[in-house]
């Protein structure tokens, strides 16, 4: 018996999904290049390639006729609202802002807050908090798997600590109230209203005002209401339009009112311009103050930085100076080259020596590790703890009852009595004499270091040198002196150059370490002279500033007046041009309206002639329609009578034929039924179709005649209208009796 095996292959497990770089918050990409690589990989993955069957060759096994073809899916699986950008731009932007604010002082730049991932305990992260964590020493049965605990280095800096979101000062808690949103509204409620027919309340003119936009009413709104009332009263005093005798008066009143309105608008525009100018001045002043404050802060920051650098340099120079002075002192102390041994007894007997109080610069810190002996207790660090400690102590600690003992050898005033003082003196004298007796004569001390003095070796005879002549000796001495002078001058120049290079340091050291009274007095004189010069310079600058301020004030006033005059002239010219433009537009509108009115009058006259002709034709049509109506009534009555008679005869004939048909239906065969159907089609259906085609043909033929008749009728109507022109409107209104040419309606 043969066996058959089948290999089952599992699908490969993907380490990450295709679009995890967009959806997963834990998927982190190092740079924008990795993001572009992940995007390219997602777009070129095989998940979007699908097999599409070819229906014509769906069941084919031939190579040149494939069953399916590979096609790329056009639809994008990622929705449009999902951002395709790299999520590291926000962190890079925040780092750039932090770097900018570190090296530049700019209060307008705000560093965006860092966003931390928060766990929604009541929402989609609630399942994470259903069970308690595995804590070995709190469970009776130890767990099978224990996770390694993280060890925190106590000496690690703040950078190595795990970042966590800062604890908020406030917390939002959801509550449910018994009030609705409408009960906490900010705008006042306006009830619905109904206007009585035929009345126009004055309050409705304020319907456009709302709370915050005109309400509650201020001075401007009250003036607007008063102007509206005055305008309504003025409109009531205007003469009517149908009174031709008062048209000039109406025109003058309207022109006067228009001038008043223009004057009011000009005043309002001036007020708005002044208010805008004031706001602009305030903004400019505020901007200048902000710039000044920013410059002051920047200068203060720079000055403090330079001051810190200066203090650091001075401190370094002082330390170097102290170190150099210490080295020089030590070097001068050992100028003979003798080595001194350490006097141990002196070191331990002197409590200020290196044994008891070593110097910190040597590298010994006595207080190192002393913080472990500091007592940290609540009773010593807090006021409440001190109060509790004081309350717990007994009374004899805070209120001691020890009294100083009074010696009996003193008087009431506190002096020692003479008897006791003499006794003490005699006792001291006795002890001194006793020590002298016991001391006696001292024995001679033996020699501690016994050395043998050897005789020195005799020196060899001193060699003799020929004595040079006096001229050569003087010449040699002159050369030696000249060399000394040149070398001294060179050293003096070098010292002078070094002094000039380090003159500021020498002055600063002299000012810091002025040891002589003459130098101190010289420094004081220089200081007083410098202060006097500074005071004189300040007075001179103050006078110059006063002069500049006066000149600037005069210039500012003249420039302000000139700019004010120019701005007002500019506004006046603009208003004049605007008024001129408005007048030109009004004139143009008037001409357009006159042209339109003349054209409209011509159209009305032409339309009136057309209406007269139409009326004549309508009368004729009515007469013809009455005749045709009577004729149609007669024909309809004849048709109805004939129809009723025919229906009656047809119904009788149908009953007879129906009975005969039922009898024949019971007796006929299949062949006879087919013959009957063929006869019906031949006798009824085909003739009806022919009849309809004939009717359509007749309609098409009659259409040409109808079009020709319409053309003739319209041609005649145009001729009639041109023959009978329309009477002018003034003549028609003046005549009371109709003419024989005009029909009566």
């Amino acid at each position: 018996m043969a066996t058959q095996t089948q290999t089952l292959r599992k699908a490969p497990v993907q380490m990450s999904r295709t679009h995890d770089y967009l959806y997963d918050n834990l998927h982190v990409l190092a740079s924008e290049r990795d993001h572009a690589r992940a995007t390219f990989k997602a777009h070129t993955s095989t998940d979007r390639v699908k097999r599409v069957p070819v229906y014509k060759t769906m069941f084919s096994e031939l190579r040149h006729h494939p069953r399916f073809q590979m096609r790329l899916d056009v639809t994008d699986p990622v929705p449009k609202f999902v951002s395709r950008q790299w999520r590291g731009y926000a962190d890079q932007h925040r780092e750039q802002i932090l770097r900018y604010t570190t090296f530049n002082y700019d209060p307008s730049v705000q560093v965006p807050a860092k966003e931390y991932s928060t766990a929604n305990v009541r929402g989609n992260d609630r399942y994470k908090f259903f069970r308690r964590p595995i804590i070995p020493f709190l469970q009776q049965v130890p767990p099978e798997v224990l996770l390694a605990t993280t060890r925190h280095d106590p000496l690690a800096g703040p950078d190595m600590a795990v970042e966590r979101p800062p604890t908020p000062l406030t917390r939002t808690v959801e509550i449910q109230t018994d009030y609705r949103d409408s009960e906490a509204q900010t705008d006042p409620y306006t009830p619905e209203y109904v206007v009585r027919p035929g009345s126009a309340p004055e309050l409705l003119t304020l319907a456009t005002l709302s709370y915050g936009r005109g309400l509650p009413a201020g001075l401007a709104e009250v003036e607007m209401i008063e102007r509206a009332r005055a305008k309504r009263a003025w409109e009531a005093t205007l003469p009517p339009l149908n009174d031709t005798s008062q048209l000039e008066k109406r025109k003058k009143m309207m022109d006067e009112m228009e001038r008043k309105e223009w004057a009011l608008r000009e005043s309002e525009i001036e007020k708005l311009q002044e208010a805008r100018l004031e706001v602009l001045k305030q903004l400019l002043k505020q901007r200048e103050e902000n710039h000044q404050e920013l410059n002051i802060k920047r200068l203060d920051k720079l000055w403090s930085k330079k001051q810190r650098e200066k203090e650091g340099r001075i401190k370094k120079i002082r330390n170097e100076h102290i170190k150099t002075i210490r080295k020089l002192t030590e070097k001068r102390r050992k100028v003979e080259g003798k080595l001194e041994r350490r006097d141990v007894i002196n070191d331990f007997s002197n409590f200020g020596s290196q044994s008891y109080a070593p110097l910190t610069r040597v590298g010994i810190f006595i207080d190192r590790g002393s913080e472990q002996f500091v007592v940290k207790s609540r009773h010593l660090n807090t006021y409440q703890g001190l109060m509790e400690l004081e309350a717990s102590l007994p009374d004899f600690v805070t209120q001691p009852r020890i009294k100083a003992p009074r010696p009996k050898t003193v008087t009431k005033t506190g002096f020692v009595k003479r008897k006791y003082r003499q006794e003490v003196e005699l006792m001291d004298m006795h002890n001194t004499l006793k020590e002298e007796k016991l001391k006696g004569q001292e024995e001679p001390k033996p020699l501690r270091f016994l050395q043998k003095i050897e005789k020195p070796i005799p020196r060899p005879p001193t060699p003799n040198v020929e004595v040079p002549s006096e001229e050569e000796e003087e010449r040699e001495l002159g050369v030696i002196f000249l060399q000394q002078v040149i070398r001294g001058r060179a050293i003096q120049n070098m010292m002078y150059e070094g002094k000039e290079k380090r003159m500021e340091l020498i002055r600063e050291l002299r000012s810091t370490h002025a040891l002589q009274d003459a130098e101190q007095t010289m420094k004081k004189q220089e200081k007083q002279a410098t202060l006097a010069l500074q005071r004189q310079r300040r007075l001179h600058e103050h006078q110059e500033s006063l002069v500049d301020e006066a000149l600037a004030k005069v210039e500012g006033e003249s420039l302000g007046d000139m700019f004010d005059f120019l701005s007002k002239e500019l506004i006046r010219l603009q208003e004049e041009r605007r008024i001129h433009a408005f007048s030109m537009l009004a004139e143009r509108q008037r001409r357009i309206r006159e042209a339109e009115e003349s054209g409209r009058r011509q159209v009305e006259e032409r339309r009136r002639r057309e209406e007269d002709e139409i009326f004549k034709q309508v009368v004729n049509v009515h007469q013809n329609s009455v005749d045709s109506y009577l004729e149609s009534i007669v024909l309809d009555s004849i048709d109805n009578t004939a129809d009723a008679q025919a229906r009656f005869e047809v119904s009788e004939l149908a009953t007879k034929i129906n009975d005969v048909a039922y009898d024949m239906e019971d007796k006929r065969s299949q062949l006879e039924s087919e013959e009957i159907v063929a006869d019906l089609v031949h006798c009824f259906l085909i003739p009806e179709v022919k009849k309809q085609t004939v009717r359509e043909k007749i309609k098409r033929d009659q259409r040409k005649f109808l079009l020709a008749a319409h053309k003739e009728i319209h041609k005649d109507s145009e001729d009639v209208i041109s023959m009978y022109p329309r009477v002018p409107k003034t003549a028609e209104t003046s005549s009371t009796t109709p003419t024989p040419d005009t029909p009566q309606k």
Side-chain angles (χ1 to χ4, degrees):
M1 182 176 180
T3 60
Q4 185 177 4
T5 60
Q6 184 180 3
T7 303
L8 299 177
R9 295 182 179 179
K10 293 184 179 180
V13 180
Q14 296 182 356
M15 297 301 293
S16 63
R17 292 169 293 185
T18 307
H19 298 286
D20 273 351
Y21 70 100
L22 294 177
Y23 290 108
D24 195 359
N25 293 326
L26 302 177
H27 190 91
V28 181
L29 297 174
S31 63
E32 190 175 3
R33 182 179 297 176
D34 296 340
H35 181 80
R37 190 180 293 114
T39 306
F40 179 75
K41 187 177 180 181
H43 281 291
T44 57
S45 63
T46 57
D47 296 339
R48 298 181 63 183
V49 180
K50 295 184 179 180
R51 291 183 177 183
V52 180
V54 181
Y55 293 103
K56 293 183 179 181
T57 60
M58 188 182 296
F59 303 101
S60 175
E61 296 292 340
L62 302 175
R63 290 185 178 180
H64 56 281
H65 293 295
R67 290 178 294 175
F68 59 88
Q69 60 181 355
M70 307 303 290
R71 187 175 296 175
L72 183 66
D73 192 4
V74 183
T75 59
D76 192 358
V78 182
K80 292 183 179 180
F81 58 85
V82 178
S83 177
R84 311 296 180 93
Q85 294 183 354
W86 179 48
R87 286 178 288 187
Y89 285 128
D91 297 336
Q92 287 185 355
H93 180 62
R94 187 172 183 274
E95 290 177 0
Q96 291 176 359
I97 293 177
L98 282 173
R99 195 178 300 111
Y100 175 77
T101 54
T102 304
F103 297 101
N104 300 286
Y105 179 76
D106 193 355
S108 62
V109 178
Q110 298 292 334
V111 180
K114 191 171 183 181
E115 296 181 358
Y116 299 92
S117 58
T118 57
N120 190 4
V121 181
R122 297 185 180 181
N124 51 2
D125 294 333
R126 187 175 181 182
Y127 68 94
K128 298 179 182 178
F129 304 91
F130 282 167
R131 296 185 61 184
R132 297 184 63 187
I134 298 175
I135 304 175
F137 53 83
L138 289 181
Q139 295 181 351
Q140 297 178 357
V141 180
E144 296 178 359
V145 180
L146 294 177
L147 300 178
T149 58
T150 58
R151 297 179 179 179
H152 181 65
D153 189 4
L155 301 177
D159 296 337
M160 298 178 60
V162 180
E163 292 187 359
R164 66 178 186 87
T167 304
L169 298 177
T170 59
R171 189 174 54 143
T172 304
V173 181
E174 299 176 356
I175 59 173
Q176 185 177 2
T177 62
D178 298 333
Y179 299 97
R180 297 186 304 170
D181 293 341
S182 61
E183 297 180 1
Q185 62 186 358
T186 55
D187 294 343
Y189 173 69
T190 304
E192 298 293 336
Y193 59 87
V194 178
V195 181
R196 184 181 299 173
S199 62
E202 187 182 5
L203 190 61
L204 290 181
T205 57
L206 306 177
T208 56
L209 302 179
S210 61
Y211 185 77
R213 296 182 179 179
L215 291 179
L219 182 60
E221 286 75 15
V222 173
E223 291 179 356
M224 183 187 69
I225 293 169
E226 293 296 332
R227 286 198 300 269
R229 286 179 177 175
K231 190 171 183 180
R232 285 197 297 271
W234 172 78
E235 288 177 354
T237 58
L238 280 175
L241 283 171
N242 54 8
D243 192 358
T244 57
S245 61
Q246 296 184 358
L247 287 177
E248 292 296 332
K249 182 180 178 182
R250 181 184 178 90
K251 187 176 180 181
K252 289 181 180 179
M253 292 175 68
M254 292 179 70
D255 291 340
E256 186 179 356
M257 179 55 69
E258 188 175 0
R259 283 194 297 271
K260 289 182 180 179
E261 289 180 354
W262 275 112
L264 181 62
R265 289 183 183 179
E266 287 178 357
S267 63
E268 290 179 353
I269 290 170
E270 288 180 357
K271 289 180 181 178
L272 289 175
Q273 291 289 343
E274 291 177 357
R276 195 173 299 170
L277 188 60
E278 289 295 329
V279 172
L280 185 59
K281 287 181 180 178
Q282 292 293 333
L283 291 176
L284 289 174
K285 185 178 179 181
Q286 187 176 1
R287 189 183 69 177
E288 291 297 330
E289 290 177 355
N290 293 335
H291 281 300
Q292 191 71 16
E293 185 178 358
L294 189 62
N295 293 332
I296 291 171
K297 288 183 179 179
R298 191 181 292 112
L299 290 174
D300 291 342
K301 186 177 180 181
L302 185 61
W303 183 82
S304 60
K305 183 180 177 181
K306 296 293 183 182
Q307 195 72 13
R308 286 195 298 270
E309 292 178 358
K310 177 186 173 184
E311 290 176 358
R313 292 197 190 99
I314 293 173
K315 187 177 180 181
K316 187 176 179 181
I317 292 170
R318 285 178 179 174
N319 292 334
E320 292 291 335
H321 173 258
I322 293 170
K323 190 186 298 183
T324 308
I325 294 296
R326 193 183 301 117
K327 288 180 180 179
L328 289 174
T329 306
E330 190 70 20
K331 190 175 180 180
R332 288 179 180 178
R333 193 169 63 84
K334 298 178 180 180
V335 68
E336 297 179 359
K338 295 181 180 180
L339 298 176
E340 295 181 359
R341 293 184 179 181
R342 180 187 175 192
D343 193 356
V344 181
I345 298 173
N346 188 18
D347 290 347
F348 281 94
S349 62
N350 184 12
F351 292 101
S353 63
Q354 292 283 334
S355 301
Y356 292 100
L359 298 176
T360 307
R361 68 168 180 270
V362 182
I364 300 174
F365 299 94
I366 301 176
D367 294 337
R368 178 178 290 175
S370 60
E371 63 272 3
Q372 60 183 343
F373 301 107
V374 177
V375 179
K376 296 180 180 180
S377 176
R378 186 179 65 85
H379 296 284
L380 299 177
N381 296 334
T382 60
Y383 178 73
Q384 190 68 24
L386 288 173
M387 296 296 291
E388 293 178 1
L389 183 62
E390 185 179 356
S392 63
L393 295 175
D395 295 338
F396 65 85
V397 176
T398 57
Q399 299 176 1
R401 291 169 295 197
I402 299 173
K403 295 181 179 179
R406 290 185 178 181
K408 298 179 180 179
T409 59
V410 298
T411 59
K412 293 181 180 180
T413 58
F415 294 100
V416 182
K417 294 180 180 181
R418 183 181 299 174
K419 181 179 68 173
Y420 295 107
R421 188 167 60 252
Q422 291 177 356
E423 288 180 0
V424 172
E425 291 177 354
L426 289 173
M427 186 61 68
D428 292 337
M429 191 179 294
H430 174 70
N431 292 331
T432 304
L433 293 173
K434 191 175 180 180
E435 288 177 358
E436 291 291 335
K437 286 180 180 179
L438 293 174
K439 188 175 181 181
Q441 188 177 2
E442 294 182 358
E443 296 180 359
K445 294 182 180 179
L447 295 176
R448 188 174 181 183
F449 300 103
L450 187 62
Q451 295 180 357
K452 183 180 180 181
I453 301 174
E454 294 181 358
K455 293 182 179 181
I457 299 172
R459 298 181 63 184
T462 305
N464 294 324
V465 182
E466 294 181 1
V467 178
S469 62
E470 294 181 359
E471 295 179 358
E472 292 179 357
E473 189 174 358
E474 289 178 359
R475 186 182 302 167
E476 188 176 357
L477 289 174
V479 170
I480 292 170
F481 180 73
L482 184 61
Q483 290 178 354
Q484 290 178 355
V485 169
I486 293 171
R487 287 173 183 168
R489 189 62 179 173
I491 294 171
Q492 187 178 3
N493 290 334
M494 291 174 61
M495 291 178 63
Y496 183 73
E497 290 178 358
K499 175 187 173 184
E500 290 296 330
K501 287 181 181 179
R502 295 168 178 81
M503 183 58 70
E504 295 182 359
L505 181 61
I506 292 171
R507 289 175 181 174
E508 187 173 0
L509 291 175
R510 283 182 177 178
S511 62
T512 308
H513 304 280
L515 303 177
Q516 298 179 1
D517 296 338
E519 291 182 357
Q520 290 180 358
T521 55
M522 189 183 298
K523 288 291 180 183
K524 288 181 181 179
Q525 291 176 0
E526 290 179 358
K527 183 177 179 181
Q528 291 176 359
T530 306
L531 291 174
L533 289 174
Q534 290 180 355
R535 192 179 301 106
Q536 187 177 0
R537 183 180 178 182
R538 282 199 297 269
L539 289 173
H540 183 63
E541 289 179 354
H542 181 64
Q543 292 176 359
E544 289 184 353
S545 65
L546 290 176
V547 174
D548 293 339
E549 185 178 357
L551 291 175
K553 184 177 180 182
V554 173
E555 291 176 359
E557 290 178 356
S558 60
L559 289 175
D561 296 337
M562 183 178 67
F563 287 152
D564 187 17
F565 175 73
L566 291 176
S567 63
K568 289 182 179 179
E569 283 294 319
L570 179 61
I571 293 169
R572 187 180 63 78
L573 289 175
Q574 289 177 354
E575 292 298 330
E576 286 182 357
R577 291 182 181 178
R578 189 179 300 172
I579 292 168
H580 181 62
F582 284 161
S583 63
M584 292 180 66
L585 288 174
E587 185 67 23
R588 183 167 171 262
Q589 190 72 20
R590 184 180 64 79
R591 291 177 182 175
I592 291 171
R593 287 183 180 178
E594 287 179 356
E596 290 178 354
E597 186 67 25
S598 61
R600 195 179 298 113
R601 190 178 297 111
Q602 293 176 3
V603 171
E604 287 180 356
E605 290 177 356
R606 182 179 176 184
R607 189 178 298 168
R608 185 172 181 181
R609 290 196 298 269
E610 290 178 358
E611 288 177 357
D612 293 341
E613 185 61 29
I614 289 169
F615 178 73
K616 291 179 182 179
Q617 297 295 334
V618 166
V619 171
N620 294 331
V621 168
H622 285 177
Q623 292 176 358
N624 294 331
S625 62
V626 169
D627 295 339
S628 61
Y629 177 69
L630 293 175
E631 185 178 357
S632 63
I633 289 173
V634 174
L635 292 175
D636 288 341
S637 62
I638 294 171
D639 291 338
N640 291 333
T641 305
D643 187 44
Q645 188 67 27
R647 286 179 183 276
F648 178 72
E649 291 178 357
V650 166
S651 62
E652 289 182 354
L653 184 59
T655 52
K656 292 178 182 179
I657 292 171
N658 200 10
D659 295 338
V660 175
Y662 284 148
D663 294 337
M664 292 176 67
E665 186 71 25
D666 295 335
K667 294 178 181 180
R668 74 166 178 265
S669 60
Q670 182 69 23
L671 183 60
E672 291 176 352
S673 299
E674 292 178 357
E675 289 178 356
I676 292 170
V677 171
D679 291 337
L680 288 173
V681 171
H682 183 72
C683 295
F684 291 98
L685 185 58
I686 294 173
E688 184 66 25
V689 172
K690 288 182 179 180
K691 196 181 296 181
Q692 290 181 0
T693 54
V694 170
R695 287 176 181 171
E696 291 292 332
K697 186 177 180 181
I698 292 169
K699 284 183 179 179
R700 285 197 297 272
D701 294 339
Q702 289 179 354
R703 184 71 179 171
K704 297 186 290 184
F705 300 108
L706 287 173
L707 290 173
H710 278 293
K711 288 182 180 179
E712 290 295 330
I713 290 170
H714 284 290
K715 183 178 179 182
D716 296 339
S717 63
E718 290 291 337
D719 295 339
V720 171
I721 290 170
S722 61
M723 287 173 62
Y724 297 96
R726 193 166 182 179
V727 182
K729 188 174 181 181
T730 56
E732 184 183 358
T733 53
S734 60
S735 62
T736 55
T737 58
T739 59
D741 294 336
T742 56
Q744 296 180 2
K745 296 183 181 181

